[in-house]
Amino acid sequence: MLTAMLGAVSQGILWGIMVLGVFITYKLLDIPDLTVDGSFATGGAVCAVLVVAGVNPALAIVAAMAAGAVAGAVTGFLTTVFEIPAILSGILTQISLWSINLRIMGKSNTPLLTSDTVFSQLGNATGLTSNVCAIIVGLIVAVVIVAGLYWFFGTEIGSALRATGNNEAMIRALGVNTNRTKMLALILSNALVGLSGGLICEQQKYADIGMGTGAIVIGLAAIVIGEVLGRLLPGGLSKFGARLVSAVAGSVVYFLIRAIVLQMGMDANDMKLLSAIIVALALCVPVVWERIQRRRSYSKGGEQ
């Protein structure tokens, strides 16, 4: 049971980097970017091929991040230049990436069983288990990314990006090119998704053509779970940094829930159904909570 929980935490942190990418487009720009399912697998495919070819595993992860950024740029190009709706642009890129990923790997999957990864290198140097190594690497990368995003979104261009999602007409009237901010957001988002795909690939020791299937659902579930948990904390999610941390925390909680349910004997084939139920429940909880609070305030007003 402890091993399963450690594995869930390590998976949650590594996937949490992908969740941060989804957070940028979904929460800041209100763009349902479906590129994620494809760019996640692209990051994994690029990383796997480079590692097998003998490239340093750390550099392979950087290449995976760059590949994800290119995928995001394609979606951004379709959205901003040709004015194709963002959701359709993401679908088109995602479909294209399926064939591209097959071309990159040359087959449906690429194993890394005999190749070194950043996790195996850390394990050999410290003697720690694979799950603990994954948690350490994941925490370091997640902390650096959260700190970087917190700084970036406090800059002028980062603030303009956030303002584009809040009120596009207003920020455009102030002279900001919203097409550029959208392009930047999609590139940054999918770069993080590709980075997560590369890390997951090295952690599980293989890349698969279907490894990104359902990634957007996991991302949305983690974001919503993180927000629900964040509301329970003193001060809630009033600070931007807290929202970033909650996204990663939501990913960890999501994978812990999955691990617990699997330990209870649930069929692994039903995980997609469970993911959908988790997302639905997480979306319903805030609505129900607000209604309860509203009724309480009405009843108190009536008593007075």
Side-chain angles (χ1 to χ4, degrees):
M1 185 67 174
L2 178 60
T3 302
M5 294 301 102
L6 283 175
V9 171
S10 65
Q11 287 279 302
I13 295 173
L14 296 178
W15 278 85
I17 298 167
M18 181 275 297
V19 175
L20 289 171
V22 176
F23 177 86
I24 293 172
T25 51
Y26 177 65
K27 298 301 292 185
L28 299 186
L29 281 189
D30 196 23
I31 293 178
D33 181 26
L34 298 182
T35 311
V36 171
D37 284 17
S39 58
F40 185 87
T42 300
V46 169
C47 183
V49 169
L50 291 177
V51 169
V52 170
V55 175
N56 184 288
L59 292 178
I61 291 175
V62 174
M65 187 176 183
V70 172
V74 173
T75 299
F77 186 78
L78 294 175
T79 302
T80 58
V81 177
F82 295 107
E83 300 182 358
I84 299 174
I87 188 169
L88 181 56
S89 298
I91 291 173
L92 292 174
T93 307
Q94 178 197 129
I95 293 172
S96 303
L97 286 174
W98 179 274
S99 298
I100 292 173
N101 294 338
L102 282 174
R103 289 281 186 178
I104 291 173
M105 293 190 291
K107 50 188 176 181
S108 61
N109 60 77
T110 301
L112 306 178
L113 298 177
T114 59
S115 303
D116 278 339
T117 66
V118 291
F119 305 101
S120 63
Q121 289 176 345
L122 178 61
N124 293 334
T126 61
L128 298 173
T129 63
S130 59
N131 285 333
V132 174
C133 290
I135 291 174
I136 293 173
V137 173
L139 279 176
I140 293 173
V141 176
V143 168
V144 170
I145 290 175
V146 168
L149 290 177
Y150 183 78
W151 169 83
F152 171 74
F153 284 109
T155 63
E156 183 176 350
I157 188 171
S159 299
L161 193 155
R162 294 169 64 183
T164 300
N166 291 331
N167 193 327
E168 184 175 346
M170 180 199 72
I171 197 66
R172 191 186 295 118
L174 294 175
V176 175
N177 188 329
T178 54
N179 282 340
R180 290 181 180 177
T181 55
K182 289 179 182 179
M183 174 71 82
L184 178 60
L186 287 165
I187 291 174
L188 179 58
S189 169
N190 284 282
L192 294 179
V193 173
L195 171 62
S196 179
L199 287 168
I200 292 293
C201 163
E202 293 198 14
Q203 194 265 342
Q204 65 186 14
K205 297 287 262 182
Y206 72 90
D208 185 82
I209 187 64
M211 65 184 293
T213 303
I216 186 64
V217 176
I218 294 174
L220 295 177
I223 289 171
V224 176
I225 291 172
E227 288 189 343
V228 171
L229 295 175
R231 288 192 178 97
L232 303 177
L233 299 175
L237 296 176
S238 57
K239 296 182 179 180
F240 184 71
R243 297 179 67 190
L244 294 174
V245 174
S246 72
V248 180
S251 176
V252 174
V253 172
Y254 172 83
F255 278 91
L256 282 172
I257 293 173
R258 283 181 41 153
I260 292 171
V261 172
L262 285 174
Q263 288 294 312
M264 293 172 62
M266 183 176 181
D267 191 334
N269 293 324
D270 295 330
M271 291 310 299
K272 298 297 183 183
L273 174 61
L274 176 64
S275 299
I277 292 173
I278 292 174
V279 173
L281 289 175
L283 289 171
C284 291
V285 167
V287 176
V288 174
W289 179 255
E290 288 179 6
R291 288 178 180 175
I292 293 174
Q293 294 294 98
R294 197 179 302 125
R295 288 178 181 176
R296 286 179 179 176
S297 62
Y298 285 157
S299 62
K300 288 180 180 179
E303 291 175 359
Q304 294 175 355

